[in-house]
Each structure stands twice: as structure tokens, then as C-alpha cells.
């Protein structure tokens, strides 16, 4: 044991040195990366696709696919998962991995300046650094929501992980860098294999896909439900040069179509049904642990739509536990909008008994919600989400339109600028605090999934009190004033009771 610890520590020091930039006479950081001393020539890390059912049952059937294969489903039509050689990773010990990941944070060394690729050995270990398409995504801030926690919820240890403070304004960048990098490799090996990359989207996936494809010079195509996404989201793929199809259906309809199109053409599927995406998204969980100096929070609350992200978080936490970087798992909460809540309905029907959720589950027709990016009635990753909840003693909670808008607006009053989906998570937290499920001193992380600036239409409607049937109790409408000192002074006196 001691020998392993010693080995771990010396390898960790070596690992830290490995991160340093080579500062050759090149201005190109890709070339610098090629000159870097390899981590360990002997390493045998590798990853492949396996049926998700094998992961669920913890029994490998022997059905596997290379990550270079264009395959989204197992032989029996089930989901796939990216399976890492955990034995090879375990040879290096927790000190090694912690030191390596910590040493890479915030560098400009290619590709480790990215929060995703700083964990490359756990993401896509076989990918050449040169195939990576990255905008140094990740490393998002995790901040102490001191005033909101204290005043609104009586909490001392509330944190918000700002995954929306990212290149295209949502957590989707984390998954898209991985997927587009892998496509880049596949196209390099066989240029005719993938003509374009496509997705169905409620706005954020399409923004991330089109940006990463544009960075790599790969054509992209996005299927959007007409009139159901925000203007800021719509303009992103347009600006990045994607083929934008605005389709007269909802997200679930777009998803059905893209599945058919990608099954019949050399268009590669970029939705989270493709498990490559989740390999990038899982790094946000590892980052949270790293930001807490490898301490595990009690709760992590995640807004859920297509339900890939909750599984990605679970997988990130689980890998850290399995490889000994931490000693427990947080409890996960999936927060859904009441108007698009198939998982919540099943959870309620099963009286919270997670093993019974699958039987109780029924897809639904999702209704309009301000949390438009999670207006999804038939989530592709339902089985993945159930596994994540089962293994973490998880909970599902819902938020009505008024609850989610109020929660976002109330938290905004303490300096945040939340998207409605983060509002769903904050409303779920409020309910769990009211019922004392989450305690006043429990360390709790709310995952903020998108930037509020992508959803200004809903905020304007709320603050103008233009939402039918909603009190908008935290509205702060602008005061219209004439260009006149007296009128200005009156407005100030009224507000501050001068
Ligand atoms: C802003 C935002 N929050 C939350 C989600 C939910 O993530 P998932 O679909 O992985 O459950 C999505 C996308 O669905 C999203 O775009
Ligand atoms: N909110 C998503 C919906 C699609 O989810 P995905 O993770 O399966 O791509 C979006 O922004 O499109």
C-alpha cells in the first residue's frame, strides 16, 4: 500500500510537470502539444461503446463497438454507453489523478486549457490531441450563493455551478467538444463517412453543435421546433452557418425525424442519445469535486429534459468514487417543469420507489413552458436517468410556471441572472427545503444549465407583469419618467421613501 502511495506521489509530481508548456519557437499550441513528453508511454487507457444494458446489469455481454464506428444503438435497440478500462485507470492511484487534473486547471497548454480535455484520459483517451476541436470550454465557476441561501432558504452552504457561463451559453459545449472531435477523427480517417453532423434541439444543443462544427469546418444541420425556442438561441446556428430547419412540430417530433435521417444518410447524430456527448458533460461533476478540494457535496440539483445530463453527472461522480478520488456519492435531484414532467409523474406514481419508476413511466405530450429547453415529453435517456437516481438515492421534483419564474427572479435579486431551467432547479430546492428534506447546513449545488441572457423574452414578460394568471411577485418594471428633475426626484423618493 505504502509503495503504491509513494509511486502515486512521484507519478503525480511527474504528471504536474507534464502539463507545463513546452514554449518552443512555435506560436502554435498544437505543435507545442506534439513536443510535450507523453504522460506515460506504457499507459493502456482505452474506451469503447458497450450496450447501456450491460452497464445497468454490471454484466458485460461481449457486444462492443469502437468509438470510430458510426453506431448509436445496441443490437437489441437499446442505448449505448462509453465504457472505460477502469483497471488501467486504477493502476495510477487517486493522488496521481487529483494532482494531474489540478495541475491542468486554467493553463493554456493544448488541449488541457479546456475543463473537458484536462481530463482527457477519462474522456476519450485514444484521441490524438491534434483531432481535438475545443474552445477551452468548462472550468466554469462554482459560486457560493450566500445571500440567496441565507435569506430565501435559511441555508449556509448553497452553491451554483455556472455551466451556462460558456462559449455558446449552455452546458452543451462540454459534450459537443467531445462529439465533434471524434467526428473530426472519423472524417480524417475516411472523409466520405460523415457529410454533416445533425441534431434535434430546443435551442442549446443546436447552438453548441453549429459553433463547434464551424470551428472545425464541418457542415452542420439542426432541426428546431418552429416558434418554440428563444430568439437568442435561434440566431446562434444561423450565425454559425448551419443548415437550420424550422419544423412545424415539437422537440419530440424533431427527435423522431433526426433519428430517421441519421439512420439513412451519412449525417452523424449529435444528440445525447449518442453517448459520446455524455463523456464531456460528466466532467462538470468532476470539476465540482475538484472545486471543493475533492470533498463531496450532499446534494446536486439538475434540471432534466432529455435526461442525458443527470446521467452524465452521475457518471462523473461515480468514476471519481470508483477510482478512489472521493469516498461517497452526492444525492442527485432531477428537477422538471410541471408542463414537461414525465419522470416526475412516474416518480410520484411509484411513491418515490425508484426501482418502480420504469413501470410507472409513460411518455407525455409536453406543454409550453418558460423553461423551453426542457419542453420534452419523451426523453431519450429515461433509463440512464433512472439508473442515476437509483444509485444515488435520488429524488425527482417539479416546478410550476409560477414557481420557476418566481424562483429565478428571486435569486436574480441576489445578483444572479438565471435562465428558467435554473429557475426549475431553484424552485425544486425551495420545495425540498420547505419539507426539510434538504437541511439548513447541507452542502448543496444547483446546476445552472444556461445563461440567462439567452432567455430575456421570458424575463421581460415577467418583469412587465405580462404573464396571464401570474402574480409576478418579484417583478421590477422600469419606471417611465419625463426629462425633468422634479419627476426624477419623485421617482427616487417613492422608491427609497426619502
Ligand atoms: C438549458 C438546459 N437545461 C437543462 C436541459 C436538460 O438537459 P437534459 O436534456 O440532458 O436532461 C437542457 C436540454 O435538454 C437545456 O438546454
Ligand atoms: N435541451 C436540449 C434538448 C436536446 O437534448 P440533447 O442533450 O439530447 O441534445 C437542446 O438544447 O436541444
Amino acid at each position: 500500500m505504502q509503495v503504491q502511495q509513494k509511486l502515486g506521489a512521484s507519478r503525480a509530481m511527474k504528471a504536474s510537470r507534464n502539463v507545463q508548456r513546452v514554449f518552443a519557437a512555435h506560436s502554435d499550441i498544437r505543435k507545442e502539444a506534439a513536443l510535450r513528453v507523453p504522460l506515460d508511454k506504457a499507459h493502456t487507457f482505452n474506451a469503447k461503446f458497450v450496450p447501456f444494458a450491460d452497464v445497468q446489469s454490471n454484466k458485460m455481454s461481449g457486444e462492443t463497438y469502437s468509438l470510430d464506428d458510426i453506431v448509436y444503438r445496441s443490437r437489441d435497440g437499446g442505448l449505448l454507453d462509453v465504457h472505460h478500462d477502469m483497471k488501467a485507470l486504477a493502476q495510477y492511484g487517486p493522488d496521481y489523478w487529483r494532482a494531474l487534473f489540478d495541475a491542468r486547471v486554467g493553463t493554456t497548454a493544448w488541449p488541457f486549457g479546456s475543463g473537458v480535455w484536462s481530463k482527457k484520459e477519462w474522456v476519450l483517451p485514444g484521441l490524438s490531441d491534434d483531432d481535438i476541436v475545443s474552445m477551452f470550454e468548462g472550468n466554469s465557476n462554482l459560486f457560493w450563493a450566500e445571500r440567496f441561501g441565507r435569506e430565501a432558504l435559511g441555508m449556509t452552504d448553497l452553491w451554483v455551478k455556472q455551466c451556462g457561463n460558456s462559449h455558446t451559453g449552455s452546458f452543451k459545449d462540454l459534450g459537443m467538444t467531445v462529439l465533434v472531435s471524434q467526428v473530426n477523427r472519423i472524417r480524417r480517417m475516411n472523409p466520405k463517412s460523415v457529410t454533416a453532423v445533425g441534431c434535434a434541439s430546443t435551442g442549446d444543443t443546436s447552438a453548441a453543435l453549429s459553433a463547434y462544427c464551424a470551428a472545425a469546418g464541418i457542415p452542420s444541420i439542426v432541426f428546431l421546433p418552429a416558434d418554440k425556442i428563444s430568439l437568442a438561441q435561434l440566431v446562434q446556428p444561423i450565425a454559425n452557418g448551419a443548415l437550420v430547419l424550422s419544423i412545424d412540430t415539437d422537440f419530440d417530433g424533431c427527435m423522431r425525424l433526426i433519428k430517421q435521417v441519421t439512420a439513412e444518410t451519412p449525417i452523424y447524430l449529435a444528440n445525447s442519445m449518442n453517448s459520446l456527448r455524455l463523456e464531456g458533460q460528466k466532467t462538470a461533476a468532476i470539476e465540482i469535486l475538484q472545486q471543493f478540494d475533492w470533498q463531496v457535496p450532499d446534494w446536486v440539483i439538475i434540471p432534466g429534459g432529455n435526461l442525458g445530463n443527470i446521467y452524465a453527472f452521475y457518471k462523473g461522480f461515480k468514476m471519481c468514487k470508483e477510482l478512489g478520488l472521493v469516498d461517497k456519492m452526492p444525492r442527485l435531484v432531477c428537477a422538471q417543469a410541471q408542463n414537461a414532467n414525465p419522470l416526475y409523474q412516474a416518480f410520484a406514481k411509484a411513491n418515490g420507489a425508484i426501482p418502480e419508476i420504469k413501470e410507472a413511466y409513460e411518455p407525455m405530450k409536453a406543454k409550453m413552458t418558460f423553461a423551453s429547453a426542457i419542453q420534452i415529453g419523451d426523453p431519450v435517456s429515461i433509463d440512464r436517468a433512472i439508473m442515476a437516481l437509483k444509485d444515488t438515492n435520488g429524488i425527482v421534483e417539479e416546478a410550476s410556471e409560477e414557481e420557476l419564474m418566481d424562483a429565478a427572479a428571486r435569486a436574480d435579486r441576489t445578483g444572479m441572472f438565471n435562465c428558467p431551467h435554473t429557475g426549475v432547479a431553484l424552485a425544486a430546492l425551495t420545495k425540498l427545503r420547505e419539507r426539510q428534506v434538504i437541511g439548513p447546513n447541507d452542502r448543496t449545488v444547483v446546476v445552472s444549465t444556461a445563461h440567462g441572457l439567452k432567455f430575456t423574452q421570458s424575463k421581460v414578460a415577467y418583469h412587465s407583469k405580462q404573464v396571464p394568471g401570474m402574480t409576478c411577485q418579484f417583478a421590477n418594471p422600469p419606471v417611465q419618467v419625463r426629462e425633468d428633475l422634479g419627476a426624477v426626484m419623485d421617482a427616487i423618493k417613492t422608491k427609497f421613501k426619502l
Side-chain angles (χ1 to χ4, degrees), residues 170-172 176 199-207 223-225 229 233 251 255 270-274 277-278 281 305-309 372-376 380-381 384 421 454:
S170 88
F171 71 95
K172 306 284 179 174
M176 214 50 86
C199 72
S201 182
T202 53
D204 291 324
T205 297
S206 46
F223 289 16
L224 305 176
I229 72 170
Q233 288 173 313
F251 170 79
M255 192 70 221
N271 282 101
S272 61
M273 185 180 131
N274 185 332
R277 280 262 313 279
L278 306 181
Q281 289 171 212
N306 221 9
L307 299 179
N309 208 29
S372 53
I374 53 176
Q375 189 183 324
I376 297 173
V380 163
S381 288
R384 291 173 173 149
H421 321 86
K454 287 181 123 181

